[in-house]
Each structure stands twice: as structure tokens, then as C-alpha cells.
Amino acid sequence: MKKSFLLFTVLLCAGSCKTPVGQVHDNVQAEAVRRPTNEETNRYYVSNKAPLQPQYFVKLPVTSIKPGGWLRRQLELQRDGLTGNLGEISIWLSKDDNAWLNKAGTGKYGWEELPYWLKGYANIGYMLDDQEIIDKSKFWLEAVLTNQRESGDFGPNVEKGEGKRDLWTNMPMLWCLQSYYEYAKDPRVLSLMTKYFKWELSIPDDKFLEDYWENSRGGDNLYSVYWLYNRTSDKWLLDLASKIDRNTADWRQKNNLPNWHNVNIAQSFREPATYYEQSADSTDLKATYHDFKLVRELYGQVPGGMFGADENAREGYADPRQAVETCGMVEQTTSDEMLLRYTGDSFWADNAEDIAFNTFPAAFTPDYRALRYLTAPNMVVSDSRDHSPGIQNAGPFLMMNPFSSRCCQHNHAAGWVYYAENSWMATPDNGLAAQLYSEGEVTAKVGDGTEVKLVENTKYPFEEQVNFTVSTPKAVRFPLYLRIPSWCHKPVVRVNGQLVAVTTQPGEYVKLTSTWKNGDEVALELPMEVKVREWAKNKNSVSVNYGPLTFSLKIDEHYVQKDSKQTAIGDSKWQPGADPQKWPSFEIHPASDWNYGLVLNEQHPAESFEVVKKDWPADNNPFTNAHAPIQLKAMGKQIPGWKLDKYGLVAVLPQSPVQTSQQTEPLTLVPMGGARLRISAFPVVK
């Protein structure tokens, strides 16, 4: 819906004078829109074909975006850390007795772990143009492409009941193949998928998607069917899509979910909205929004974008000490990125940022050489102790361990690279949309088909300014959409230094349409301010935000090195030559007090905090306590009765306001995403 419209003209030359690089002499149209119109179809990038619902945003090929700044640094850390070296650790990536490496699909090792890892690992290679990663990825992709069976089936040949082929493992591998096709345009991908989906269509409904994981996650299969349909136009694929939808778990229930496993929820709640592309039934779209809201009303009254389900969400376990799997974070942001394309609703970009900035980085050691299965908004110890039943896992599930956790150990690889891939999107009107602001560049065809490059310079979310420079071989007219986050009320836009007087609402897009020329510059300022959010359903606790960043108490972190094999989760497996000395695990213990409540100005809570800007970290990694480029100064009081409980977890929040006789002390708050130990949902003290 259009909220406002302004046409302004910048007249910098007249007659036959030459326009200097960077100046604008054509009209620039600026308007605020809720989303782009989807009445057109992008001419250069594949999007939904009829009868599928037209998309509002179109995914660009993985090679279109080159990340820079801190985002590139995260990918480099993953490449140099666990993701890039998992082949020497994980037994599931062993080339011996691996079911992914033979036509029969037999072998001791072969389930979700390989494609979980490969969908992130290969894409990092494509995005960083790292030939070593690309070559290693192609080894596995070639095995898949050459080992398809005559029936059309491929991959590990595992049955979960007579005639009930377990199809879950193939779903993430299809995603790997789709990214590879974007990179290499290898026609064998389309051939394999066509044969495979014909085979799926032949499976009787009573033997199709029957096992727990595949039944919950059928939406991933559905996504791949639509991906192929948009490239081949084979109508029978829509019959398969309907078959998948009716045999997938029911994510349309009014006040219930088919199961309460955290990853299933984060990954599978999008299935009704995915099928909406075909059904055009608004109740399907509403079901996805409802699922998102339901789990957060019950278990998500916490900062950080996620919810508490440290295996399965449980009634009575909703305190911010309840955690979520690293897999759950990856799958939720993936869902957000997909739903942004389906709906055009920037709400999903806001949630993706919330998780990416405030929850995901804290799941790893700063060098990305170890990770933990579970991370919570309030978490003051990360060790090898069994904390069950405080969390619903019996074992060392809070340990930072490179040898551990199987699913998250592999699936974490896709978190940042999928985020980067979706930072820019094409639009139906042959324009571009800046969605997830980060330094880097995008190269894409726009307008009349001219290939342009937009270079983005920013340290967002740690700074307010985002600058774009247009590089184009000739003048070309196209729209550029800039997302206004839901927390931002007074954005400022300039084109070549000239103020664009456009009125927006949070959550809208500023649409700038111009005949863009080489060197044109667009500046977007997103003013940030401190906001205090109350979580009434969780003991009236509060969290503190500055722009998209949520803040945690700065707790001194004491790392204790351990043997990775001895502190791994029970079902972990590793290769015989994996060296725990090279890949150690770590406990993290608090080396300072953590049990504080905040002292707030009751009338104006935001005035209780002072924003302190610091130097940008020399290593370009802002997600650490030591090098956080921004802090908040606050006042608080210690709450002596709030301690670790009998399970070794931070005790449940006390009800705010809390009475305490302790003296008021100055406190330092740091970005939540860099705090491996954290108190992010605070009691309020009198």
C-alpha cells in the first residue's frame, strides 16, 4: 500500500552541458511502499510461473552478491574454522563406507549430516570464489549426480518401515543441487530432479512422508518442486506439490502444532505459506503467521528472535534460560528469508536480523572453531555438565565442542551464507531491493537488461549510515528499494547529497526510481535510539535495544580447555584421525557477578542508558565482548537470591520489580550477539 508519494527534481545542468559523474539530472521519484507490486514479472531472474502466485521479491543467484566487512569476515572465519575443516573431523563426511558415494545408496554413514554441511560449505565457496572449497564440494555433488538409480531415486537407500523410503535426507541435498545449478548451470541438475520427482509421484500416499522428520519437513521438498517447476514448466510437478502438502504434518492447526521440536517448528512452520503459492488460499498464508505467533506467545517472551525449546518446547518451561538449537537459528532465518520473498512483508527481514545479530554468533567461539548445541537469552555457564531436566537434554549440551552435536555441527554452515545470499533481492519491476544491510556489493541485471553493480559501504547494525554507489556502463532506469526496519521512525535518504523528502512508516520500503548513472550515490541513515521492551508474560522482565541490537550484561568469560572427545554429546562420531588437540572444546565460566537487575527511570526508561561508541575492531569481528564497537552504560543492583539452581542453570527470573538492599552499581551492557555468557532479559529492581 502506498503511504506517500513525492516527485522531486534535481536540476544540476541544463542545455548541452555534460553531467559530472555522480550528479543526477533526471527526475528521481521517491515513494514509500509497503512492498513492491507483483503485477509484473522480472525479466532476468527466475520467479514463480503461473498458476503459482507471483512473488514480491526474487532470489538472485548465489554468485550475484559479494559480501564485505564484518559479514565477509564471518564467512572467512567459518571457512578457516570448523565449517572449512569438518571433513577431517566428522565421520559423516568420511569417504569410507559412505552411502552418498555409491549407486546402491548403502553404507554405514549417510543421513542428513553431509547435505546439511554441504549446503552451507559449497555456497561459501561460490560466494567467496574459493576454488578449493568449490572443488571439494563438487566431489560430493558429482557423486550425487552420477549415482542416481534407474528408478529416479538417489542418496542413502534407507527405509523406515516396509516400502517407506526415508526421503528427509534428500531434501537438503536437493537444495545443494539447486545452489550448484545457480553457480554452474549444469543441466544434469534439472534432469536428476525431474526423474526423482517423477519417482516421488509414483509412491503411494500411505508410504509417502511417513517418518517423523520427513513428515514434519515436507515443506523443504515442496520448495524444491516449485524451484524446478519455475525452470521447466512441467505441470505434473504441481500434482506432486499437492501430494506433498497433503502428506506433510498439519501446520494449519488453530492452537496447536504437530510437534514441538524446536528445529521442526523453525523449519516447517513455513510450509502452509509455501503451498499458498499454489493454492492462493489466504488461510494457508495466515497459518504460517499464526504458527510463528503461537510458539512465541507460549515460549518466546524473550529477546533474540527465537523461543525456548531446548529440544521440545514444554509447558511450564518458558523462562529465558530455556535455549534453542543452533540448527533452529539457521532454519528460522532461512524461513524468514523465504517468507520475505513470498509475502513482501519486511516483518520477516526484521526477525532474520534479530536472530543474526543477537543470537546466532553467540553459538560459537569467536574463531568459529567450536560451537554448542544450545544457546539461551539468559545463560551464565557453558559447560560439559548434564543440566537436565532444566533443559530437555541429558548430556553436555551446553559445551563448546567441534566434535559434537551432529546436526548443528554440520547445519550451522548455512547460517551466514544464506543471510548474505538474501541481503539483496530482485523485484518484479526489474529493480533491486536492499534487504539485510551489510557491506559488500551486488551485480545484477536491471531495467532494460543493463548489468549494474551497487557497492554498499556500512558498518550496520553497529552504525546508522548505509551508503550505496552505482556502477553502470550506461545510464539505466530502474527502481531501488531500501527497507526501513520496524524500529526506525525517521530515516533520512539522500541522492547525490540531495535530501529526499519522503515520509515513511516503519516496516515500509523507500522506492527510488531514477535513470541511474555511473557514480550516483545513495545515502540512507537509520537513526537508532535506546528502547526498553517489557516482557510482561515473563515476570515483567525487560530487554534493552539500540536499533536492531539487543544488549546483555557484560560478564567476564573464563574459557577452560577440555578434550573434545571426552566432552562430546553421546551420539557424536568422528574420524579415527581427528585430533582433539588441534580441535579442543571449551567450557566458559563466569569470572564476574551476573545476578543484577536494572535500575530504570520509571517515566522514561530509555533515559537510564548512555550509548558509548568505541573503535571498530581491528580483526573486523564485532561479535565479541572484548571488541564490541558499541556499549551501553547502565545502573543496577545485585539480587543475592538469584543464583544458579540445582541443575546448574541460571535460576528462573524473579518477579519484577525486585526488592533488594544492595547498593546501586554502574553496569556495562554489550551486544547480545557477542556475549557467549549473557543476561539479556533483566529483572527490574526498586
Side-chain angles (χ1 to χ4, degrees), residues 376-547:
N378 282 5
M379 188 175 193
V380 299
V381 65
S382 182
D383 62 7
S384 57
R385 177 178 171 180
D386 181 348
H387 293 274
S388 65
I391 59 172
Q392 198 193 40
N393 301 89
F397 283 87
L398 303 188
M399 189 72 181
M400 288 283 191
N401 192 322
F403 280 37
S404 201
S405 81
R406 285 183 61 175
C407 56
C408 302
Q409 181 190 33
H410 298 80
N411 196 26
H412 81 272
W416 280 126
V417 73
Y418 276 17
Y419 187 89
E421 283 182 53
N422 288 278
S423 59
W424 286 90
M425 295 179 183
T427 57
D429 51 3
N430 303 311
L432 287 172
Q435 300 282 21
L436 305 169
Y437 297 115
S438 59
E439 191 164 314
E441 60 187 51
V442 60
T443 301
K445 292 182 179 180
V446 296
D448 61 5
T450 301
E451 187 172 85
V452 302
K453 179 168 68 176
L454 272 69
V455 178
E456 183 175 0
N457 289 295
T458 183
K459 289 184 170 59
Y460 180 90
F462 301 94
E463 293 182 2
E464 301 173 336
Q465 194 74 21
V466 187
N467 298 316
F468 306 90
T469 303
V470 178
S471 177
T472 178
K474 66 172 188 175
V476 57
R477 189 169 185 83
F478 68 92
L480 173 63
Y481 293 81
L482 307 177
R483 181 178 68 88
I484 306 304
S486 62
W487 49 264
C488 183
H489 293 273
K490 295 181 180 180
V492 179
V493 181
R494 290 183 172 85
V495 176
N496 293 329
Q498 300 294 316
L499 182 67
V500 179
V502 60
T503 302
T504 67
Q505 297 296 321
E508 292 185 327
Y509 290 82
V510 172
K511 177 184 178 183
L512 300 172
T513 305
S514 178
T515 301
W516 301 99
K517 297 168 181 61
N518 192 53
D520 280 347
E521 296 180 348
V522 177
L524 172 66
E525 184 179 343
L526 299 169
M528 300 179 185
E529 52 189 9
V530 175
K531 293 183 180 178
V532 177
R533 183 172 184 179
E534 183 179 88
W535 303 93
K537 290 185 178 180
N538 226 322
K539 308 295 180 63
N540 292 333
S541 58
V542 299
S543 57
V544 186
N545 280 54
Y546 183 69

Side-chain angles (χ1 to χ4, degrees), residues 5 80 152 154 187 189 221 242 254 313 335 341 352 354 361 388 446 510 569 595 639:
F5 180 83
D80 299 338
F154 73 93
V189 172
N221 201 352
S242 295
K254 185 176 181 181
S335 292
R341 303 198 297 270
D354 196 357
S388 65
V446 296
V510 172
I569 296 168
N595 54 343
I639 305 173

